[in-house]
Amino acid sequence: MDEENNRPQNRGVSRSFIFSIIFVGLILALVAYFVFSNLNTAKVISYQEFAQYLGQGKVNDVQLVEAQTVVTANGHYTLTDSQGKKVTTTFTTNIPREVCDQPLKWYIDLDGDGAREDIDASIYQMINEIEKGNDSKPEKEKFTVTVKNPYQVSWWDQWGPTIILVGVTALLFLFLFSRMSSTVNSSNRQAMDFNRSRARRVNTSKIKFDDVAGADEEKAEMQELVSYLKEPKKYTRLGAKLPKGVLLVGHPGCGKTLLAKAVAGEAGVPFFSISGSDFVEMFVGVGAGRVRDMFRIAKENAPCLIFIDEIDAVGRQRGAGLGGGNDEREQTLNQLLVEMDGFNDNSGIIVIAATNRDDVLDPALLRAGRFDRKITVNLPDRKGREAIFKVHSRNKQLDESVNFENISKRTVGFSGADIENIMNEAAILAIRAGREKITVDDIDEAIDRRVAGPAKSSRSLTKKEKEMIAYHESGHAIIGLRYPHSDKVQKITIIPRGNTGGHVRMTPEDDRFTSSKKELIARIVGLMGGRASEEVFCDDISNGASSDIEMATALARAMVCEWGMSSLGPIQYERDTGSVFLGRDYTSTQKNFSVETATKIDAEIRKIIDDAHAEAIRVIKENKADVELLAKTLIEHEQITGEEIDYLMEHRHLLRDEKVEAPVAEQAPEQKVEEPAPEVKTEEEK
C-alpha cells in the first residue's frame, strides 16, 4: 500500500522535471535565435571589389537594399583558390548613392566566352546587363538580383518580439504556478497520507513450509489456515468458520515471522505485512485511521491475510502502568478490536500477529472471536535443531566430517535464528582460513563466538592468571564429569572471549522441559566448582566467579521463593510482575511474606549455596588428580572438546599428543633397517 501511495508523488515530480527541462530549452533557443540572427558574419568588401567580381561573373546573387544616401549590396561570390578549389564567400558592401548612377569603365564577360568587353556603365547598368545575359545560361548558373525596400516592415519584424516576450512571460508564470500547486498538492497528500495504512502487500514470497524446520506442530496449524483459504467449502460443509486471528508467541528468533512468510508463500492470496509500531504517530487519531484504512483495503482483496509483527507495541493493556495509558495507542487498539470483531463483517480476513510479550497484551485482544488461536512457537528440540542446521546449510559446501546430529547435541537452547547465524559465521571463518569447505572446527568456533563472543587473541595473560583460570574451569568441568545429575561437558577453553577469561560449555544430554530439584542442585554445585577449585589449588580466590555466584544465587532464590524447593514448603513468596511501564505494579517483584519469613528465606538461600559450595570442594578433593590433569592440559592446549575430555580421562593424555610422537618412534627403526640405502644412491649416481 505504501508503494501505491507513493506513485502519484513520483509521477508529479517527473512531470515537473520534464517541464523544467522544456522551459529552459525554449529560453536557450530564443536567446540563441536573437544572438545569431543579429550576428553579421559576412565579409565586408569595397564597392570596387564588388564591381570587379560582378564583372568577372563570380557573383552568384545580389540583394540590394536602397536607402537615401547609400545602397547596401549583400550576396555570395565564388573564387578559385591556389589548389583549384572553389570557395563561396558571403559578402556585404556599401555603395554610395552617387557612385551607383556614375558611369564607370569595367571589364564584363556578357556571353561567358572569356572575351574582354570594355563598357562604360554604372553598377546598376552592369547588374541589368548581367541579368539579361543570364537568360541563355542554365538555371543553376543564373545570376539572381533582389531589391529590398528598407522602409517596408514585415509583420514578423513588427510583432515578432512582442509575441515572443508575451509567450515567455506566460510560460514563466505557468511554470511558477505549477510548482506552487504541486507543492500544495504534495503537502495535502502528505497530510492525507497520515491516515493511510503502512501495510506492505507481498505478492510473491520465496519462503515455503519446506524452509521452516524444527516446528512441525506449528506448521501443521498454519497449513490448516492455508488449506482453509484455498478450499473454504471443505470446512463450511460442517459449519466451521474461518478463524479471525492467530497469535504467534515465542522466544525471539524461534521462527514466528518465518512462519508468517511461509503462509504468504503457500496461501496464494494477498498478504499484507505491517509492524505494530507503524500504527502510532505523534498525531492523535492517526493510528485508528490507519487501522480503518488497512481493513478497508483488506476487504477489497478478501480473502487475504494481514500479518502484524510485534503487536505488543500497540496491543498493551489499556489504562495501566506508571503514568496511566497512552491515548493515541489506546485509540488505535480500540479501533483494532472493533475491526476484528465488531458490527462490521470482516469475513475472509485472517489476522496473524507475532509477539514475545503476550503477558502485556490487553485481555480484550486475546478473547475468543478476535485472536481465536494462540500458537506457542517453542525453541527447537534436538531433532528440530538438526533439521534447521540442514536447512541453513543447503547452499554451503560442507566437509564430510560434519555431523549435524552431534552438533545439535551441543546447541541446546539455541533458536533458529542462532543456528542460521552460526552457519553463516562458520562459512565466513572457512573463507577467512582459505578453506574450500566448512569443517567441524569452523562450526564449533562459530558456536563459541555466538555464546561468548570472538576470541581476544590480543589479550595477554600472566602465567599466574593462566594457571588460576585453568584450575577454575577445570573445577567446573570435574563437577560435570563426576557429580550426578550434572549436565554433560561439551568443551573447556581458557581462550579469553568477551569479558571472560575462559568458559566451560555444559549442556543437558537430552532436551528438558522441566528440571528436578536434584538437577538444579547439581547446576548450583557446578557453578560453585570454579571458586572451590581456586580455593583448593591456588590458595586464593579471584573475581572470576562473579557471574557464577550471581547465577547460583538467582537459581537458589527461585527454588525457595517460586518453586517451593526448600524446607519452607511449596509456597510462592515472590512473583515477577515485569516492568511498571508495561502495565504492571510499581515494584518489579511482588513479595507476599513478612519480615520474619524474609529472614528464613535468606537463611534457606544461604544454606543451599553453602551446601553446594561444600559439595563442590568435596568432589574436587576426591578427584584432585583429574583436576590437575585437566588444568595442565588446558595450559598446554588452551581448549579441549568433549570427545578429547573422555579420551583424556581414560588414557591420561590426548590423542593429538600421540600423533605427534608416533612419527618419531617409526622413523628410528626405518633408518636402521635401510642401511644399504646410501649404496643404492651411489650406484644410481654412477
Side-chain angles (χ1 to χ4, degrees), residues 398-415:
L398 300 177
D399 189 73
E400 293 78 7
S401 61
V402 175
N403 188 346
F404 287 130
E405 183 179 359
N406 295 334
I407 296 174
S408 63
K409 295 178 181 178
R410 302 200 297 265
T411 52
V412 177
F414 282 54
S415 65

Side-chain angles (χ1 to χ4, degrees), residues 22-197:
I22 295 174
F23 179 76
V24 172
L26 180 61
I27 295 297
L28 293 177
L30 291 174
V31 172
Y33 171 76
F34 283 109
V35 170
F36 288 105
S37 63
N38 295 327
L39 186 61
N40 189 3
T41 60
K43 182 179 179 181
V44 180
I45 61 176
S46 64
Y47 72 93
Q48 288 88 352
E49 289 179 296
F50 167 64
Q52 181 181 358
Y53 295 152
L54 185 65
Q56 294 174 355
K58 297 178 180 179
V59 178
N60 302 328
D61 57 86
V62 176
Q63 182 189 56
L64 299 176
V65 181
E66 297 180 343
Q68 292 181 354
T69 59
V70 69
V71 176
T72 302
N74 303 318
H76 302 83
Y77 63 84
T78 303
L79 299 178
T80 304
D81 59 7
S82 59
Q83 298 178 355
K85 214 170 172 185
K86 291 185 177 182
V87 180
T88 301
T89 306
T90 303
F91 73 90
T92 180
T93 183
N94 292 327
I95 308 172
R97 172 65 66 179
E98 62 272 9
V99 176
C100 292
D101 298 331
Q102 181 181 356
L104 297 174
K105 191 172 182 178
W106 301 101
Y107 160 72
I108 303 177
D109 184 10
L110 291 176
D111 51 7
D113 57 358
R116 295 177 59 88
E117 298 179 18
D118 297 333
I119 62 171
D120 291 333
S122 65
I123 290 180
Y124 272 15
Q125 290 175 340
M126 291 173 62
I127 292 174
N128 292 332
E129 292 294 334
I130 294 172
E131 190 175 9
K132 291 177 182 178
N134 274 268
D135 292 340
S136 60
K137 292 183 178 181
E139 184 69 25
K140 63 180 180 178
E141 297 181 1
K142 280 187 176 183
F143 176 75
T144 58
V145 180
T146 57
V147 180
K148 182 179 179 182
N149 186 358
Y151 303 104
Q152 183 180 0
V153 181
S154 65
W155 179 86
W156 175 253
D157 294 335
Q158 186 175 4
W159 296 101
T162 304
I163 293 174
I164 293 175
L165 181 61
V166 173
V168 170
T169 305
L171 288 174
L172 179 61
F173 276 105
L174 181 62
F175 173 73
L176 295 176
F177 179 76
S178 64
R179 294 288 296 177
M180 293 175 60
S181 61
S182 64
T183 304
V184 173
N185 293 335
S186 176
S187 301
N188 293 336
R189 283 196 299 268
Q190 291 179 359
M192 295 301 296
D193 284 347
F194 278 114
N195 285 335
R196 291 191 177 181
S197 174

Side-chain angles (χ1 to χ4, degrees), residues 252-263:
C254 60
K256 302 183 293 297
T257 306
L258 188 65
L259 279 171
K261 290 181 180 179
V263 173

Side-chain angles (χ1 to χ4, degrees), residues 21 35 68 73 82 104 126 177 211 217 227 269 285 290 293 370 384 406 475 487 491 494 504 509 529 589 598 644 674:
I21 294 297
V35 170
Q68 292 181 354
S82 59
L104 297 174
M126 291 173 62
F177 179 76
D211 300 318
E217 295 80 5
S227 175
V269 296
R290 289 179 179 177
D293 188 65
R370 291 195 173 114
N406 295 334
D487 295 338
K491 188 175 184 179
I494 59 172
V504 178
E509 294 187 6
T589 304
E644 290 177 331
E674 297 179 359

